[in-house]
Amino acid sequence: KPEPESKVAAVEILVRVGAQDEDVRVAGIGQLLAGSILAGTSRHSTTRLARLVAEAGGNFHSAWQWNYLETYAVTLPGSCEEAIGLLADAIQNSSLDPEAIEYSRKAVLKEIVNQADDPFASAYSAARTSIYQGTRYGRPFLGQADAVKAITPAQVRAFYQKNFTENEIRETIKFYQSPTGQKVIRQLPTVMQE
């Protein structure tokens, strides 16, 4: 909702597909998708999209979660409509450039190593694996290094095409326009602060 006194605005789009939807054989594919989905579209090259984001006075990010893909922008209040349009374009028409996928792969593999070296992350992962044994929540969130290394750009594109259909996007929008979705939108900032 508009807040005239605010110096920044945040726009968030959640798409209801996440790590739980990955096939175990390609676990981590969503991490590669999240790392490359905002790197150009069929209408805007990577460079042009970056320039348009900068002109909107903000920055864009995406993050793969267990139950959804989160994309968000922090921008100037007067640029919200433009930011929403750019995010929607990226989600619906991502070019999934092979170079961006490779860059994302390197970042994910580095994070897998970092988490293995972090005692807290290792303990958390072991506890989660024990609690959710035999389910998708029990596997490593980032995927296995061998699987991430083997995922091809074609597989990332196929995963995107399967899960980011026009119908999926419409269903997500419909959910957020529903009374339940509106309640989530109102309560999410409070929940995130707790």
Side-chain angles (χ1 to χ4, degrees):
K1 72 181 182 184
E3 294 183 23
E5 306 299 318
S6 180
K7 304 261 189 257
V8 297
V11 176
E12 182 173 47
I13 299 175
L14 305 177
V15 180
R16 290 188 294 175
V17 60
Q20 70 171 0
D21 301 300
E22 295 174 324
D23 183 303
V24 175
R25 294 168 293 185
V26 290
I29 196 168
Q31 296 288 346
L32 301 182
L33 176 63
S36 56
I37 196 166
L38 299 177
T41 72
S42 58
R43 295 179 2 181
H44 304 297
S45 69
T46 303
T47 305
R48 176 145 171 76
L49 185 60
R51 187 167 51 75
L52 290 170
V53 169
E55 287 172 5
N59 55 63
F60 287 26
H61 298 282
S62 62
W64 190 242
Q65 306 294 342
W66 279 109
N67 301 310
Y68 56 88
L69 171 73
E70 173 185 29
T71 58
Y72 60 95
V74 179
T75 189
L76 302 171
S79 299
C80 275
E81 292 297 320
E82 188 176 359
I84 290 168
L86 290 171
L87 278 178
D89 184 36
I91 291 169
Q92 293 175 307
N93 304 303
S94 182
S95 61
L96 297 174
D97 178 65
E99 288 181 30
I101 293 170
E102 191 55 39
Y103 182 85
S104 179
R105 180 189 327 276
K106 289 176 183 174
V108 170
L109 291 171
K110 182 177 180 181
E111 186 60 26
I112 289 171
V113 170
N114 289 345
Q115 284 193 5
D117 291 342
D118 180 330
F120 176 79
S122 294
Y124 175 75
S125 182
R128 192 182 67 247
T129 298
S130 176
I131 292 167
Y132 295 107
Q133 188 173 26
T135 72
R136 292 177 192 262
Y137 293 109
R139 64 168 176 73
F141 176 64
L142 295 171
Q144 298 287 349
D146 289 343
V148 172
K149 288 176 186 174
I151 296 168
T152 67
Q155 287 174 302
V156 174
R157 278 191 288 285
F159 183 79
Y160 169 78
Q161 290 166 347
K162 175 184 173 199
N163 292 289
F164 288 73
T165 64
E166 186 174 332
N167 188 49
E168 280 288 323
I169 303 300
R170 285 178 198 250
E171 287 298 316
T172 299
I173 291 168
K174 193 164 115 180
F175 169 75
Y176 283 108
Q177 291 174 336
S178 73
T180 302
Q182 290 296 304
K183 184 177 178 182
V184 167
I185 291 168
R186 285 191 307 277
Q187 293 180 346
L188 191 58
T190 305
V191 171
M192 295 301 282
Q193 289 177 351
E194 292 177 355

